[in-house]
Amino acid sequence: MLTILAINVILSIGGSLVILNVVPKFRDMFVKAHLSGVDLNKINKPEIPEAAGVISSCIFLIVMFMFIPFPFSQHFFNKQWGFPHQEFVQFIAALLSICCMVLLGFADDVLNLKWRHKLLLPTVASLPLLMVYYTNFNSTTIIIPKPLRFLLGHDLDLSALYYIYMGMLAVFCTNAINIYAGVNGLEVGQSAVIAGSLILFNVIELNGDCWSTHLFSLYFMIPFFFTSLSLYQFNKYPARVFVGDTFCYFSGMTVAVVAIFGHFSKTALLFFIPQTANFVFSLAQLFQLFPCLRHRLPRVNKKTGYLDPSVFKFKDKSLSTLGRLVLKTYQLLGLVEVEQAEKDGESFQSTYCTLINFSLQNKNYGRISRLTTLWPPRLPKNLPEAT
Amino acid sequence: MWTILAVNVILSIGGSCAILNVVPKFRDMFIKAHLSGVDLNKKNRPEIPEATGVISSCIFLIVMFIFIPFPFSKHFFNKEWGFPHQEFVQFIAALLSICCMVLLGFADDVLNLKWRHKLLLPTVASLPLLMVYYTNFNSTTIIIPKPLRILLGHDMDLSALYYVYMGMLAVFCTNAINIYAGVNGLEVGQSAVIAGSLILFNVIELNGDCWSNHLFSLYFMIPFFFTSLSLYQYNKYPARVFVGDTFCYFSGMTVAVVAILGHFSKTALLFFIPQIANFVFSLPQLFHLLPCPRHRLPRLNEKTGYLDPSVFQFKEKSLSTLGHLVLKIYQLLGLVKVEHAEKDGHLSQSTNCTLINLALKLMGPKHEKTLAAGLIVLQVMCSGLAFIIRYPLASLFYDC
């Protein structure tokens, strides 16, 4: 077992070195193909190759292809237990889902597909996973947590709902990473930390009962970790490449794949606490309760050179009742800062509802409480009612 | 078995309708993404979306994903023989190779990779296939054809060479289709004919000994055939979309995959007779013995509206001895039309060494639509010839 893991590590390091070598060489090719983006937070707004995630994804796939014989070759597996057929087909199916996700993700970066497609693509790419799961196990029973057992019993067969859960896991992981972005190196950095944490978790669990599923997960997480580290060298501040939606899709799908086949999706989601927090915080804007512009990343303050939180403007009248309620709640909790935008008493601005902007805010609670009296606007008592 | 095939046909027709529906909607998206090409052989040189092969490939993959449970679900397979593990992993590995090929092919169309990459990409994409083959069978023994048995014995173990052969098959199929192109509808049309011929071959062999291999091949060829037919509706003359290298890669890899896993690669190559002829004919230009322009497709004669063969120009002195020799042989065989420069320093010219130009040379200038139709008919006739070689003549070479 350790020999196979050693080979996996060696191949991963090899892939990692190839990425370090190859990414600069593709720079011009990407820019010529119009795959580039402007770094909005640099003073000179340079144009930087986009979708470089496709390079690290392809090298990850090549590393995995070369690794295929090792866990399953007759020289290595335990002959007493017979050939591990189910693991073999799961392995190949996992690679198929990841490969399909990279293809669809790259097509998204190139063609700029619409938002509703961003929910559809991971679902399509997770089909092989679901189909193989159905054909192999078809185990859709979950164990109920102890506190709820007197209500629901020891276990519950979710049947079709379990497949929906698995499909949604892929959609969630990919998009949660995608929206928690906007600062150089954040997408790759967060993925590397999640991968590293999962590796640690898997190694600990190798001594447990389900060691084979954790070993399976390590086979994917180790190359993913090393290839992400290499890409991080180019994406960290100051970024020389952007990774594009391709990387976010690839990253989310790889984690979803090992979480599903390893049967540890709940633990995997624990490593997504910042992403989940950012997602919940953003829900109001994602569902258009407040105005939501294309980019919500922080803005560079040209005088100080520092990043300020970005803001969206709104008119008090244009918010729905629910929108107003949610914004007020956020304001009271100190999650957003609302200020008057113009002196007409109607236009206001609020910081965007992302974790990144929240961390940039000035946490001056005294000032916030003064501001909360400015919005929503109240009519002075001695003026006649507006007609 | 018939139920599963029926399900496959129904899903394929569904995918086919989806393509007919969806391709026009992507038109603008492709052009905005700078994925477009100029149709050089139309008078107004319209700009047409390129690389739409990625749409039909993705729909093919979706159809195959949805189909996965059917051949392998416990409701369908023969319980007496136990679960078909090897076929299951081969099925998924085949899809992985095809998916990887579409990804690399689309990256090639977007990034315009160099020619040496066109040989590398299919090799990389065929890795899953080779690795699974190694892990599953590792059978690298071939049966020697009867006439050579006195020299080499009944069979021979090629070991590593067999893997090289399998890798090369993928490289060959993809690039052979890619260079036999340039007329509206030719890439998709030739692929559809090859797929149709393979389907016929597989159906015939369903009654034979290796019926499970041929059933496996049908699972792939049927969706491939139907999706290609739909794409053909948009790519035939006058083309509304171009399919791009993506389609050629996808097409070549799908055929290579079924040929390798079905163990009928020699028969599959028989259906590639026009592609092989075109490839051999083109070799001197591909190896730069003779000058090779970027595009070797026929040229539109603006006065007549017909296509003429395209030419390459050269100085007599700049050709190597071997180049001169090859050109002379081609000229004697009537394969090219050479016009020598009358004076020193002037350029000579010769028609390009492709099957399409040869067809125009033999038949005279033709309208693009007629040429395209004629080449498809040629493909069908060569498939017929392939069947004749395979069946009556095969027993001369092998015991079957």
Side-chain angles (χ1 to χ4, degrees), chain B residues 62-267:
Chain B
I62 294 173
V63 165
M64 296 304 286
F65 291 166
I66 299 176
F67 180 66
I68 291 175
F70 291 95
F72 302 107
S73 154
K74 57 173 119 81
H75 308 290
F76 287 115
F77 71 86
N78 191 327
K79 288 186 177 55
E80 285 174 345
W81 296 337
F83 187 82
H85 286 293
Q86 283 195 345
E87 281 79 18
F88 193 25
V89 79
Q90 273 175 230
F91 191 95
I92 308 291
L95 287 179
L96 178 55
S97 277
I98 295 172
C99 185
C100 185
M101 187 78 264
V102 176
L103 167 61
L104 296 175
F106 186 57
D108 183 12
D109 265 334
V110 171
L111 300 171
N112 282 312
L113 302 175
K114 296 190 182 67
W115 253 102
R116 57 176 182 267
H117 297 128
K118 290 195 196 303
L119 303 177
L120 187 68
L121 301 185
T123 314
V124 165
S126 62
L127 276 178
L129 213 63
L130 303 186
M131 294 305 187
V132 169
Y133 194 88
Y134 173 74
T135 315
N136 255 349
F137 310 112
N138 201 15
S139 159
T140 53
T141 311
I142 58 162
I143 313 287
I144 304 291
K146 286 185 197 171
L148 296 170
R149 277 185 203 170
I150 42 169
L151 278 174
L152 298 163
H154 181 263
D155 48 63
M156 186 162 78
D157 185 6
L158 293 177
S159 56
L161 278 182
Y162 196 78
Y163 289 92
V164 175
Y165 166 68
M166 289 198 290
M168 291 292 101
L169 190 68
V171 175
F172 174 76
C173 291
T174 50
N175 286 291
I177 294 176
N178 203 353
I179 63 174
Y180 188 39
V183 174
N184 287 171
L186 185 57
E187 298 99 319
V188 195
Q190 67 187 280
S191 303
V193 173
I194 293 173
S197 315
L198 281 169
I199 289 173
L200 190 56
F201 170 62
N202 291 141
V203 166
I204 295 172
E205 290 289 319
L206 278 181
N207 295 317
D209 285 334
C210 308
W211 63 273
S212 63
N213 292 336
H214 293 278
L215 185 61
F216 181 92
S217 166
L218 278 172
Y219 293 154
F220 287 80
M221 285 289 111
I222 294 173
F224 176 57
F225 179 70
F226 278 101
T227 52
S228 299
L229 275 189
S230 296
L231 192 58
Y232 183 70
Q233 300 310 312
Y234 292 104
N235 187 235
K236 67 183 183 189
Y237 183 92
R240 283 175 279 171
V241 297
F242 284 154
V243 295
D245 289 344
T246 313
F247 181 82
C248 302
Y249 280 123
F250 162 62
S251 180
M253 181 54 89
T254 309
V255 173
V257 147
V258 298
I260 290 170
L261 293 175
H263 301 282
F264 55 78
S265 55
K266 295 188 293 295
T267 309

Side-chain angles (χ1 to χ4, degrees), chain A residues 235-280:
Chain A
N235 186 235
K236 67 184 182 188
Y237 183 90
R240 284 175 278 169
V241 298
F242 283 154
V243 295
D245 289 342
T246 311
F247 181 82
C248 301
Y249 280 123
F250 162 62
S251 179
M253 182 54 87
T254 309
V255 173
V257 149
V258 299
I260 289 172
F261 278 138
H263 302 281
F264 54 79
S265 54
K266 296 187 291 296
T267 310
L269 283 174
L270 278 178
F271 295 119
F272 272 73
I273 291 174
Q275 284 76 15
T276 312
N278 183 55
F279 170 70
V280 170

